[in-house]
Amino acid sequence: MNTSGHAAADVRDDTGGLRLAPFRGLRYVPERVGSLAAVTSPPYDVVVRPDGLIHLESADPHNIVRLILPQALPTGTRHRKAAVTLERWLAEGVLAPDPEPALYVYEQQGDGLFQRGLIGALELSAPDEGVVLPHEDVMPHVVEDRAALMRTTGANLEPLLLTYVGDGDGADAVVERAVTREPLLATTTEDGFRHRLWAVTDPAEQAVVAAELGRHQALIADGHHRWATYLRLREEHTAPGPWNYGLVLLVDTARYPLRVRAIHRLLGRLPLAEALAALDGSFRVRRIEQPLPEALKALETATAGGNAFLLAGDGSFHLVDRPDPALLDRTIRADRPEAWRTLDATVLHATLLEHVWRVPDAPEDIAYLHDTAAAVSQAERLGGTAVLMHPVREEVVRELARQGVTMPRKSTSFGPKPATGLVLRSLALD
């Protein structure tokens, strides 16, 4: 089914669509690790808590987190440590390249979701070509960190998640044929998700996929910083070659709709009492003496009538809604579409963070967390403020992206996200 209402809008009349190339994937050798589940990880930006990092490192000595989030003292040697670790794992046979170039069919199932997509090396396109549509701004320091890691390791260690709206043609048929065969791997991670992977090595089938995807554009669902990193590294390597491509997972959301969740803000240096006091007269504030699930339901109800946020940090919750229209007019740019101006993320960043709370736009002042309970507990531990958000609809994200309008950073969390560690791309093999 198509939930976006734009079944034909992804189709491009020229030849400047998506170009997904096969590659020789690097994969864990099952006999050399405890289990495939034990060496996987969520994407790097989801592993934000130190206890989560330690848990993954202790799950298996070869867990992929040692490559995507290397730890070293001094910190300036982290990326080199990842490169050395990757070289060692290759030499020891922990990781090994597949024998021939392939596109990979990837399947995830769990938490009421079922998703299939294609993993490959996507030819990079300039932002003004409109082939890959970003919808969020990025943080320069994160791009620099990811660029240093990719540059030093010479590898794409985890795929971006891209979506397109297909029309049931050849690419779908190739995917459905692949899943009738024996998978390259099958594992169930500790979150209960089942993962399976197949290789499509037949040049004829690869050509069918290329012809189909060449008619479409894609939306970046997850991985804006990695996409910006790909583009930066391509600029550094002017000659045609492997740096002209980046590892992606492409999902047809007409067939496999994604789930869109919010990303919450943790303001560790802003006490909740100060945050609430500053809102006096500009927003309506109501205290909610109920558990988190009920408080989130109240937030969902409030967002139906306009901008709303849920603040936490003192053991209870505070519903913030009904902003002063005059305040919004003064603080939000007028040269953007109405759909952008009324986004919760726009109001949060332009009105609350910048003008009401005057929180600096710096990593030490604003942290971004996917997990709602973790945001609340960390705010209470730090004596700060958690700002809980309600997710934006996918069709709003896609339409703004088509207009070339980017949302504030970390505005959405599409899922399920691909597990990191199932297939890697070494640029030395391309």
Side-chain angles (χ1 to χ4, degrees):
M1 64 179 175
N2 178 10
T3 60
S4 72
H6 295 286
D10 274 351
V11 176
R12 299 173 64 81
D13 295 328
D14 54 32
T15 59
L18 300 164
R19 295 176 181 171
L20 193 68
F23 68 104
R24 291 179 64 195
L26 280 184
R27 294 190 297 110
Y28 279 100
V29 178
E31 296 78 14
R32 299 303 307 272
V33 298
S35 72
L36 288 176
V39 296
T40 63
S41 164
Y44 80 96
D45 57 340
V46 179
V47 187
V48 293
R49 292 164 47 170
D51 56 342
L53 181 63
I54 294 170
H55 172 73
L56 290 167
E57 287 184 329
S58 61
D60 189 284
H62 302 108
N63 188 283
I64 193 66
V65 78
R66 297 180 185 273
L67 299 184
I68 63 171
L69 288 172
Q71 304 299 302
L73 291 174
T75 56
T77 64
R78 290 187 303 110
H79 304 117
R80 183 58 195 155
K81 181 179 180 180
V84 170
T85 300
L86 177 58
E87 292 168 2
R88 185 176 72 253
W89 290 357
L90 287 168
E92 295 174 350
V94 174
L95 288 166
D98 283 334
E100 54 185 322
L103 297 175
Y104 296 88
V105 174
Y106 175 48
E107 178 186 279
Q108 292 170 276
Q109 185 174 7
D111 194 23
L113 297 170
F114 185 81
Q115 176 180 289
R116 286 175 180 156
L118 283 163
I119 295 177
L122 185 69
E123 184 174 359
L124 306 180
S125 57
D128 60 1
E129 294 177 24
V131 177
V132 175
L133 304 174
H135 68 268
E136 289 182 355
D137 294 331
V138 297
M139 293 175 276
H141 74 281
V142 177
V143 175
E144 181 54 46
D145 177 72
R146 293 295 98 185
L149 180 63
M150 290 188 204
R151 191 185 297 119
T152 307
T153 59
N156 298 155
L157 300 172
E158 48 187 336
L160 283 68
L161 176 59
L162 305 183
T163 74
Y164 72 103
V165 181
D167 43 24
D169 284 345
D172 285 337
V174 170
V175 169
E176 298 309 314
R177 278 197 300 272
V179 300
T180 64
R181 304 192 291 264
E182 189 72 19
L184 292 175
L185 63 85
T187 189
T188 300
T189 45
E190 66 178 2
D191 58 5
F193 270 83
R194 186 184 71 168
H195 308 264
R196 297 198 292 173
L197 192 75
W198 295 263
V200 176
T201 57
D202 183 349
E205 289 192 319
Q206 293 173 355
V208 169
V209 171
E212 169 69 10
L213 294 180
R215 302 168 51 245
H216 293 281
Q217 62 184 178
L219 174 73
I220 300 177
D222 185 68
H224 283 81
H225 290 90
R226 282 165 282 167
W227 179 255
T229 299
Y230 288 167
L231 297 181
R232 174 180 295 191
L233 293 173
R234 184 186 64 171
E235 292 176 359
E236 296 176 5
H237 300 81
T238 55
W243 294 100
N244 284 23
Y245 297 80
L247 185 64
V248 305
L249 166 63
L250 267 170
V251 173
D252 176 0
T253 52
R255 193 171 181 87
Y256 300 106
L258 299 183
R259 177 182 292 168
V260 186
R261 288 177 167 159
I263 302 178
H264 312 295
R265 275 60 170 167
L266 174 63
L267 313 178
R269 295 183 176 183
L270 177 66
L272 179 58
E274 293 184 17
L276 293 171
L279 296 174
D280 185 36
S282 59
F283 285 76
R284 183 176 69 168
V285 180
R286 290 174 287 163
R287 189 182 186 96
I288 299 179
E289 296 286 359
Q290 291 180 298
L292 178 58
E294 284 69 28
L296 290 173
K297 290 178 183 177
L299 173 63
E300 181 179 6
T301 300
T303 57
N307 301 116
F309 311 92
L310 195 64
L311 306 190
D314 64 355
S316 62
F317 301 98
H318 305 263
L319 185 62
V320 175
D321 64 354
R322 297 188 183 179
D324 176 8
L327 174 65
L328 299 184
D329 288 341
R330 291 197 308 272
T331 56
I332 295 177
R333 295 174 55 169
D335 60 345
R336 295 292 182 94
E338 182 69 11
W340 181 91
R341 300 183 76 249
T342 56
L343 287 170
D344 287 339
T346 298
V347 173
L348 173 61
H349 283 263
T351 303
L352 285 172
L353 293 175
E354 185 173 347
H355 290 277
V356 176
W357 292 331
R358 300 193 180 278
V359 175
D361 186 7
E364 56 269 23
D365 290 284
I366 307 175
Y368 299 85
L369 283 79
H370 296 74
D371 186 274
T372 308
V376 173
S377 64
Q378 290 198 41
E380 293 175 352
R381 178 175 57 85
L382 295 172
T385 299
V387 183
L388 307 183
M389 312 278 288
H390 186 68
V392 65
R393 300 189 314 277
E394 180 182 354
E395 56 265 32
V396 173
V397 176
R398 191 177 293 275
E399 187 54 40
L400 285 173
R402 286 199 182 98
Q403 296 179 47
V405 178
T406 55
M407 300 164 63
R409 65 191 62 153
K410 300 292 184 181
S411 293
T412 60
S413 176
F414 284 83
K417 303 178 190 301
T420 298
L422 297 180
V423 61
L424 289 61
R425 174 178 176 248
S426 169
L427 279 72
L429 295 173
D430 285 8

